[in-house]
Amino acid sequence: MRHLLSARDLSLESAVSLLDTGESMAQVQMRDVKKIPALRGRTVVNLFFEDSTRTRVSFEAAAKRLSADVINFAAKGSSVSKGESLKDTVQTLEAIGADVIVMRHPSSGAAKTLADSGWTQAHVVNAGDGTHEHPTQALLDAFTMRQFKAQRDGVSPLGTDLTGLRVVIVGDVLHSRVVRSNVWLLHTLGAHVTLVAPPTLVPVGVGAWPCEVDYDLDRALAAQPDVVMMLRIQAERMNSAYFPSAGEYSSRWGLDEDRFRRLIVGRGDEVIIMHPGPMNRGLEISALAADSPQSRILNQVANGVSMRMAALYHVATDVTEAPRKELA
Ligand code: ASP
């Protein structure tokens, strides 16, 4: 795999292979010395034109655990704020010898533009492009769901997909790159996805996505899904009011305390709660749900490091299907 630009482009074989490599990387993280020499001598540049906590830190940890040299480049404080173009910025990184560029950018399509540009020979990993895609988030989410399913069914996660898993994704679908990556990857892996949102936060064209859409959260939760993923209300991407008030949103589309209690009644071990972060506690999710035994939100963060190690390894060493033996 030369680049990782979108989850939609991943075949079932590549997705399962990435998830399996993620399992090997998770083993590495359980060792006292959490480092392998897989990318020794390679340079990974984290090029972030948008704010980030989890994604940036976890790509940095992932690259370091693979023994790569890491350069963190935030647009704030760089010559980008003096008006330097993406082309000049990237050509500078090329001259420095970047082998992999991990890029987050506010424009949808920016990662593909970079990969197709000829400005750099580096492998490109999309760490979020506008409202388009966030493929490593979808991979870490799928990894988290696969572990839950394997544990529940008493089987090994290796080599398996998500066939039969029922996933409800709730909230600001309109502005979410996380949901766009998740819907396609979960579909490829065989899961059944239902999106739930107020009509104002559902994008035009959702009918072409491989999922169902509901506007009634209580109805969707009454169907007893295996996974409930809450999305952040992305206030920074909203230029007008999409719902009357925070209270109204929370009471109809939030995982508030009452709704959470109803969800887990009699099936506490059979349902998990996810959120990509950062959370707006009290808006889309209550503290009761976020901090509950059903919550996998911190597991998602830990799994993010394993899956980003897998993604960096697959692009930098051009893995197409089975992970290389020497990795273990
Ligand atoms: N951290 C995720 C993203 O960058 C989700 C979010 O910001 O709501 O897309």
Side-chain angles (χ1 to χ4, degrees):
M1 187 168 61
R2 170 137 179 76
H3 305 294
L4 176 57
L5 304 177
S6 82
R8 184 174 180 165
D9 293 342
L10 288 174
S11 65
L12 177 61
E13 291 70 30
S14 328
V16 170
S17 170
L18 273 160
L19 295 172
D20 287 351
T21 304
E23 290 291 342
S24 305
M25 299 304 182
Q27 296 296 323
V28 170
Q29 298 204 72
M30 278 151 50
R31 298 181 192 162
D32 285 344
V33 178
K34 301 178 181 49
K35 220 174 170 86
I36 52 172
L39 297 191
R40 191 166 51 202
R42 317 257 185 135
T43 300
V44 174
V45 177
N46 288 323
L47 179 57
F48 276 64
F49 292 92
E50 243 189 23
D51 295 344
S52 168
T53 304
R54 275 152 293 273
T55 306
R56 195 184 54 71
V57 170
S58 92
F59 266 113
E60 181 175 353
K64 287 181 170 164
R65 287 176 191 177
L66 293 168
S67 306
D69 294 318
V70 185
I71 298 173
N72 289 317
F73 179 101
K76 277 181 200 151
S78 75
S79 290
V80 171
S81 38
K82 298 180 190 162
E84 187 164 29
S85 67
L86 179 60
K87 178 176 175 180
D88 290 332
T89 305
V90 167
Q91 285 183 331
T92 303
L93 301 176
E94 174 76 2
I96 288 168
D99 295 298
V100 181
I101 297 179
V102 175
M103 186 170 76
R104 168 165 291 191
H105 199 281
S107 305
S108 298
K112 180 154 174 33
T113 302
L114 176 57
D116 294 345
S117 65
W119 303 330
T120 175
Q121 292 303 306
H123 302 274
V124 177
V125 177
N126 182 5
D129 59 329
T131 59
H132 175 231
E133 277 234 28
H134 193 353
T136 58
Q137 177 74 44
L139 283 164
L140 75 89
D141 290 339
F143 184 88
T144 306
M145 292 181 210
R146 194 173 79 152
Q147 284 203 324
F148 163 67
K149 183 171 181 273
Q151 207 173 8
R152 186 193 66 185
D153 301 346
V155 297
S156 161
L158 286 176
T160 65
D161 62 18
L162 298 177
T163 297
L165 204 72
R166 289 160 314 131
V167 182
V168 169
I169 306 180
V170 189
D172 187 355
V173 174
L174 183 64
H175 301 103
S176 176
R177 53 195 172 205
V178 172
V179 81
R180 282 167 182 75
S181 288
N182 258 297
V183 162
W184 289 101
L185 184 62
L186 290 171
H187 171 69
T188 300
L189 290 168
H192 180 273
V193 181
T194 303
L195 304 180
V196 183
T200 48
L201 288 175
V202 174
V204 175
V206 78
W209 298 7
C211 61
E212 282 176 33
V213 178
D214 200 342
Y215 302 104
D216 183 337
L217 180 55
D218 290 316
R219 181 170 52 207
L221 297 187
Q224 303 202 323
D226 305 298
V227 179
V228 179
M229 182 188 294
M230 305 307 295
L231 299 171
R232 183 173 67 89
I233 290 292
Q234 307 217 355
E236 78 280 18
R237 297 190 207 277
M238 295 186 180
N239 47 18
S240 58
Y242 287 85
F243 45 85
S245 70
E248 161 116 12
Y249 182 85
S250 171
S251 74
R252 295 193 59 187
W253 291 284
L255 194 55
D256 63 11
E257 296 196 357
D258 286 350
R259 201 166 266 130
F260 172 68
R261 286 200 187 93
R262 284 201 301 277
L263 174 69
I264 61 165
V265 89
R267 53 191 303 269
D269 295 338
E270 290 158 32
V271 57
I272 58 170
I273 310 296
M274 297 174 63
H275 190 303
M279 289 183 272
N280 294 306
R281 285 173 183 257
L283 181 56
E284 71 262 0
I285 189 165
S286 57
L288 187 75
D291 302 330
S292 66
Q294 287 75 24
S295 170
R296 291 289 187 278
I297 296 169
L298 290 175
N299 302 75
Q300 288 173 266
V301 178
N303 294 338
V305 180
S306 308
M307 278 316 303
R308 285 171 179 133
M309 288 172 79
L312 291 172
Y313 179 75
H314 275 226
V315 295
T317 60
D318 248 324
V319 174
T320 41
E321 274 177 18
R324 296 194 180 170
K325 286 213 177 68
E326 68 264 30
L327 184 64

